[in-house]
Amino acid sequence: MNYQAPRGTYDRLPQDSKAWEYVIRQFQSIVESYGYGEISTPMFEETELFIRSSGDTSDVVSKEMYTFTDKGDRSLTLKPEGTAGVVRAFNQHKIGAQGGIHRFWYFIPIFRYDRPQKGRCRQGHQVGLELLGSDSVYSDAEVIDITTKFYRALGIDNVTVFINSIGCENARKQYAEAILQHVATYLSTKDEEFNSKTRKNPLRLLDNKDPEIKELMKSAPKIDAYLSEHSKDRFNKLKQVLDTYGINYQVDSTLVRGLDYYNETVFEVTSDTIGAQSSLCGGGRYDNLVKQLGGPTTPSCGVAMGIERALLVMPEREYEQYNLDFFFVAATDSGMNKVIELSNKKRLKGYRCNFDLDFRNIKQQMKLAHRLNSKNVVIIGDDELTKSSVTVKNMENGDQLSISETEFLTNDVGAN
RNA sequence: GCGGGUGUAGCUCAGGGGUUAGAGCACCUCACUGUGGCUGAGGGGGCCGUGGGUUCGAUUCCCAUCAUCCGCCCCA
């Protein structure tokens, strides 16, 4: 029997990890420059948590969750998104009890039972951040600013953020009603499944790709008309602040989010180069979620960015070519002890060192050094042993020099 | 969950109802017993995804299944 990774999952091998680590490092250094701290929550939570936060009509909850019952008969779910866990931890540890603003970042796997496709896996990975405790438009702007900085750091040019305001819950209800009225005649021609799906979340019609629906939605009412004065002012202020930041954005009044907890500002960055899964990240405000999950009133916003998708659109870049600084070669058996001694001393100084565990002949050892991409080879044979010296060979240009052992250990010869 | 494409060597891919299934790259050995890459010569490697059917005979045709890719859907 040959085993393979479960459908929709993949192994990340060392050669893929350079790009991966680069992405994570960029994210981390950006969010840390804004004072965000890492939060790590369990990979699974009570199923109820996700149903309460994302909403039981969302596809994520209704058909994509990895839910299981443990031996204590608890219903648990591998997390399909990051926000719910952070908010749960925030409430559990009473972090918001004294008020104030709290900034978290995370890097997590997410699990969704869905048909695998380009940019879509059953175990995906996200980096994200949550800014809890501020209802200021400056908090929206900060999150959007970090998002654009992140993509720019990855070399993804001309990042455009699509933004929209979906207002407060009340406005959304009224607007949803208006949409339903607008499509009433059309709905009467469709089957029951489509009808019930549409009635549950009418706003999804806005970004539907069906040409017929697209045409129909052109004449549909716009959300602006249903926004409260407060929401409108807020959205206008946000646009001004984004201008101040110099952020490239575009208002898209059809932009809605699939998870129920969002309100007011929502945003997304897309790419047309990765096929159907064009969304690189999604975020927005969730002013009621903390309270809804049992905490204090805590207006908040956040964003989650898909790592797999970022990697798809990211331009190729050169990563460091060498995996080792020194590969030690023992020309004869008597050199082996010295090889171990010197490689360990160099390792303690932070150099990446290795040698042939099988101690084959010098030619084989050289080949191995080459294959392991070592910057230098250090040759230790009988000559070197009697002179207490080493021969250092630069593997790029083939230059070779003989230096004393002490000089080799104290100098940074061959380091660069 | 629905539709379409593809599964042949480690990788990229040819091929084709009939002895022993190919190429390029990679790998190993030797030329080269204290020196990798370059060159030359040689070599190892395959249940042709899996299960069933048709057939004298299937890796090739048919069905199923699994995986993978693309689209729908959904979303990151």
Side-chain angles (χ1 to χ4, degrees):
Chain A
M1 186 64 198
N2 286 320
Y3 293 105
Q4 54 187 320
R7 182 164 165 79
T9 67
Y10 62 93
D11 302 308
R12 175 162 48 86
L13 303 177
Q15 63 265 31
D16 310 320
S17 291
K18 290 192 173 180
W20 179 282
E21 284 159 6
Y22 180 81
V23 169
I24 308 297
R25 261 204 312 277
Q26 294 305 311
F27 179 76
Q28 196 173 340
S29 83
I30 292 168
V31 293
E32 280 174 354
S33 75
Y34 286 74
Y36 283 71
E38 185 181 9
I39 186 167
S40 172
T41 62
M43 212 172 285
F44 52 86
E45 297 272 358
E46 279 177 60
T47 302
E48 185 63 22
L49 176 70
F50 299 116
I51 297 176
R52 284 289 297 279
S53 55
S54 295
D56 54 8
T57 60
S58 66
D59 275 37
V60 168
V61 166
S62 63
K63 44 191 193 193
E64 294 174 4
M65 293 208 299
Y66 272 92
T67 298
F68 61 97
T69 306
D70 76 0
K71 293 184 184 189
D73 226 23
R74 286 170 277 254
S75 178
L76 301 170
T77 296
L78 299 179
K79 54 186 171 194
E81 59 94 38
T83 302
V86 172
V87 172
R88 195 227 78 232
F90 181 82
N91 288 344
Q92 180 177 334
H93 301 285
K94 309 273 186 257
I95 297 170
Q98 314 277 319
I101 292 177
H102 306 272
R103 292 176 167 89
F104 304 100
W105 70 266
Y106 56 81
F107 162 39
I108 55 167
I110 57 159
F111 303 88
R112 293 184 193 176
Y113 187 87
D114 201 353
R115 188 108 172 221
Q117 209 173 307
K118 191 174 194 176
R120 188 168 82 185
C121 319
R122 289 185 174 177
Q123 179 182 337
H125 300 82
Q126 296 183 339
V127 288
L129 50 96
E130 311 293 350
L131 203 179
L132 288 85
S134 169
D135 65 355
S136 156
V137 286
Y138 293 107
S139 67
D140 309 27
E142 177 173 308
V143 170
I144 293 172
D145 181 45
I146 292 174
T147 303
T148 57
K149 274 206 176 79
F150 172 63
Y151 289 115
R152 211 169 301 131
L154 299 187
I156 300 165
D157 295 328
N158 306 320
V159 177
T160 302
V161 189
F162 293 92
I163 60 171
N164 192 22
S165 175
I166 56 172
C168 62
E169 202 184 340
N170 196 30
R172 265 199 320 286
K173 263 188 196 151
Q174 286 180 31
Y175 181 54
E177 237 359 271
I179 295 274
L180 279 178
Q181 267 180 33
H182 178 73
V183 297
T185 18
Y186 175 76
L187 277 181
S188 63
T189 67
K190 303 296 280 189
D191 62 19
E192 185 44 42
E193 196 198 330
F194 186 82
N195 267 271
S196 86
K197 203 169 133 186
T198 305
R199 255 183 246 108
K200 275 182 188 156
N201 197 347
L203 300 194
R204 301 295 333 185
L205 288 175
L206 291 168
D207 55 3
N208 195 295
K209 285 173 200 158
D210 183 328
E212 204 180 347
I213 296 175
K214 267 191 161 167
E215 186 58 36
L216 187 61
M217 294 315 286
K218 274 186 190 162
S219 56
K222 295 274 179 268
I223 194 157
D224 317 34
Y226 294 83
L227 293 181
S228 67
E229 285 309 309
H230 172 260
S231 293
K232 277 188 207 166
D233 289 349
R234 201 177 184 293
F235 195 45
N236 285 330
K237 181 78 197 283
L238 174 64
K239 289 188 263 186
Q240 284 170 28
V241 177
L242 291 179
D243 287 336
T244 309
Y245 268 105
I247 290 167
N248 212 352
Y249 65 86
Q250 220 166 294
V251 176
D252 177 357
S253 62
T254 69
L255 177 64
V256 290
R257 308 256 75 228
L259 307 179
D260 279 6
Y261 51 69
Y262 287 108
N263 69 325
E264 301 291 345
T265 308
V266 293
F267 68 93
E268 179 170 300
V269 174
T270 60
S271 162
D272 53 9
T273 60
I274 52 172
Q277 310 301 314
S278 60
S279 178
L280 291 179
C281 73
R285 298 201 61 80
Y286 48 95
D287 294 323
N288 304 313
L289 183 61
V290 178
K291 183 158 194 200
Q292 192 193 323
L293 294 181
T297 299
T298 310
S300 304
C301 62
V303 62
M305 300 168 246
I307 295 174
E308 284 81 4
R309 289 184 193 179
L311 287 167
L312 282 174
V313 285
M314 198 175 132
E316 293 264 332
R317 59 169 49 246
E318 299 263 323
Y319 298 99
E320 202 223 351
Q321 147 186 33
Y322 297 106
N323 297 322
L324 288 175
D325 297 304
F326 298 106
F327 187 92
F328 289 79
V329 166
T332 57
D333 284 358
S334 45
M336 282 156 52
N337 287 343
K338 188 57 81 181
V339 162
I340 293 167
E341 179 198 330
L342 293 183
S343 58
N344 274 327
K345 281 184 173 163
K346 282 305 236 189
R347 280 172 181 152
L348 286 173
K349 295 194 168 191
Y351 294 99
R352 298 163 300 175
C353 302
N354 226 328
F355 50 84
D356 184 4
L357 296 175
D358 294 332
F359 280 120
R360 293 168 298 183
N361 67 44
I362 188 165
K363 192 181 182 68
Q364 304 275 25
Q365 293 184 57
M366 290 300 296
K367 271 191 151 165
L368 186 57
H370 179 75
R371 191 163 45 212
L372 294 180
N373 242 329
S374 188
K375 208 183 282 186
N376 302 285
V377 165
V378 180
I379 298 163
I380 296 159
D382 293 339
D383 289 358
E384 285 83 358
L385 285 173
T386 51
K387 288 191 292 184
S388 276
S389 70
V390 296
T391 300
V392 179
K393 175 167 183 169
N394 178 319
M395 290 295 273
E396 195 178 338
N397 57 26
D399 288 352
Q400 220 163 283
L401 72 151
S402 177
I403 55 172
S404 77
E405 203 181 301
T406 46
E407 198 186 345
F408 173 66
L409 286 173
T410 50
N411 288 2
D412 60 353
V413 55
N416 230 331

